[in-house]
Amino acid sequence: MTEQSKQQEVLLVTGSRFVKRQYQEKDSADTPKNLTQQEKLIDACWNGYLKEMLPEIFFMTWEAKLFLWQMREAQHFLAMEMAEEPVDIDYHASIDPYCFMEKQGFS
């Protein structure tokens, strides 16, 4: 029996106060200074600060090292996909409303 790869999704609401926080830049020499707060948040997530910004979502029972593989910008949120290796999203179990709303039947 093969072991399934661990994966996690995170949604960050872009209209929240969390997005308006100041983010320390890892490589400030290469980063443009005129970024919006949302662009700074995206940059911080790609640079590996998500675990420092939201340590409570990383109290996992498994000890897998998760990497940020994909980030999608929607109108009101950022959807991040993290896993040990690139994997396809299970749309039935996803928390991304654009994923599970397509699969939901209309009555």
Side-chain angles (χ1 to χ4, degrees), residues 2-3 8 12 19 21-22 25 33 36-37 40-41 43-44 48 51 59 63 71 73-74 86 93 95-96 98 105:
T2 61
E3 186 177 322
Q8 180 174 4
L12 295 178
V19 175
R21 290 179 20 186
Q22 295 295 324
E25 298 161 1
K33 299 293 183 202
T36 65
Q37 285 302 111
K40 287 179 184 177
L41 174 64
D43 194 47
K51 192 170 186 175
F59 289 124
E63 298 196 12
M71 185 182 314
E73 286 185 69
I95 61 172
D96 185 341
Y98 292 115

Side-chain angles (χ1 to χ4, degrees), residues 70-84:
Q70 185 175 8
M71 185 182 314
R72 291 182 312 279
E73 286 185 69
Q75 187 172 0
H76 298 288
F77 64 88
L78 295 174
M80 289 170 267
E81 298 171 24
M82 297 178 294
E84 297 173 296

Side-chain angles (χ1 to χ4, degrees), residues 4-89:
Q4 287 187 317
S5 176
K6 307 291 190 253
Q7 69 183 66
Q8 180 174 4
E9 288 182 280
V10 176
L11 293 183
L12 295 178
V13 178
T14 54
S16 65
R17 282 196 276 169
F18 180 77
V19 175
K20 294 174 179 57
R21 290 179 20 186
Q22 295 295 324
Y23 301 103
Q24 181 181 3
E25 298 161 1
K26 245 184 193 176
D27 223 350
S28 59
D30 296 336
T31 307
K33 299 293 183 202
N34 56 350
L35 296 177
T36 65
Q37 285 302 111
Q38 184 167 336
E39 291 169 334
K40 287 179 184 177
L41 174 64
I42 292 169
D43 194 47
C45 291
W46 279 120
N47 285 328
Y49 280 115
L50 187 61
K51 192 170 186 175
E52 293 173 21
M53 293 185 294
L54 295 169
E56 60 275 6
I57 66 171
F58 290 94
F59 289 124
M60 299 176 212
T61 56
W62 62 82
E63 298 196 12
K65 185 162 176 97
L66 300 180
F67 300 96
L68 178 60
W69 290 103
Q70 185 175 8
M71 185 182 314
R72 291 182 312 279
E73 286 185 69
Q75 187 172 0
H76 298 288
F77 64 88
L78 295 174
M80 289 170 267
E81 298 171 24
M82 297 178 294
E84 297 173 296
E85 57 191 37
V87 292
D88 291 331
I89 293 179

